[in-house]
Amino acid sequence: MTRPFILLVVAKAPVPGLAKTRLCPPATPAQAAEIAAAALLDTLDAVCAVPGAEPVVAMTGDLGAAARPIEIGMALRYVTTIPQRGHDFGARLANAHADAAQVHAGLPVLQIGMDTPQVTPESLAAAAAPVLHGGHDSVLGPAADGGWWALGLAEPRHAQALADVPMSREDTGERTLRALTACGLRPRRAAQLSDVDTMADARSVAAACPGGRFARAVAAVGGRAVA
């Protein structure tokens, strides 16, 4: 029997001019927002197909001003949506775990972002497995840029360790590992993935998932087309 768990997605509304600004240029603000929207939608497709997962999306930003608002709104009907809260990203992550645990009390959690649209139901289940079935208290999935893309916790309260970790740095992954270890955890390492910060990242990730919305949105930049 599949053990239930919270699959938490921390997301930002893909508003032109605010979303994925490091893709500009060569992308326009509108194209960058389309890429972000496509990443979120492909991620939600994978999340909602994971056996045993209780999908929760911690959202910030104005979806009414976002790219693909109707499509995103329809996708969010299949998940529990909670607002992000906190003065910085580390605090918002910690609070998202706490708030998701209020919705689904007693369940372990696997948290991801919307920057790895190449995830599949199988890869997400594999990332969660050490906590769900392997007897581990935590799991951390490193990102190629030195950050991390996935955090699994047997007890969501331990996410409070994230509140003091500087995010979006080359050493964020190592700092997160140290913070988890300092509160008594022994994190298992998950597979490394590349997240999307630059257009080079976007093209590399798109090549890994050529059949999705994300690849089509990336291909539209610079007049590229997907067959």
Side-chain angles (χ1 to χ4, degrees):
M1 181 177 179
T2 301
R3 183 183 177 188
F5 69 103
I6 299 166
L7 191 33
L8 173 62
V9 181
V10 177
K12 176 181 179 181
V15 177
L18 299 177
K20 291 294 166 200
T21 56
R22 290 176 61 187
L23 301 183
C24 308
T28 66
Q31 287 173 326
E34 284 287 325
I35 289 171
L40 175 57
L41 289 163
D42 283 355
T43 298
L44 291 178
D45 279 353
V47 164
C48 289
V50 178
E54 297 286 356
V56 177
V57 176
M59 179 67 72
T60 189
D62 182 4
L63 280 173
R68 305 197 188 191
I70 296 175
E71 194 174 353
I72 292 173
M74 291 293 292
L76 292 176
R77 294 175 61 184
Y78 299 97
V79 307
T80 298
T81 304
I82 58 176
Q84 291 183 30
R85 58 186 182 87
H87 63 281
D88 60 21
F89 193 43
R92 293 200 301 274
L93 289 176
N95 289 333
H97 280 256
D99 294 344
Q102 289 291 319
V103 177
H104 298 291
L107 295 185
V109 61
L110 178 72
Q111 179 243 308
I112 64 171
M114 53 182 278
D115 292 343
T116 51
Q118 71 271 45
V119 293
T120 64
E122 293 77 18
S123 66
L124 291 172
V131 169
L132 298 182
H133 311 296
H136 293 271
D137 53 30
S138 54
V139 61
L140 190 67
D145 63 0
W148 52 270
W149 70 273
L151 172 64
L153 294 171
E155 297 186 22
R157 63 185 176 85
H158 285 128
Q160 191 57 42
L162 301 174
D164 297 322
V165 176
M167 298 293 165
S168 302
R169 292 170 40 140
E170 292 182 354
D171 62 350
T172 290
E174 181 58 35
R175 285 173 176 264
T176 302
L177 187 63
R178 291 202 301 265
L180 295 172
T181 302
C183 67
L185 301 181
R186 300 179 63 185
R188 177 79 177 269
R189 178 188 171 100
Q192 177 174 294
L193 291 184
S194 296
D195 55 15
V196 177
D197 292 316
T198 68
M199 187 54 70
D201 297 333
R203 297 204 189 283
S204 176
V205 169
C209 52
R213 302 176 189 84
F214 181 79
R216 293 192 292 273
V218 170
V221 177
R224 294 190 184 188
V226 173

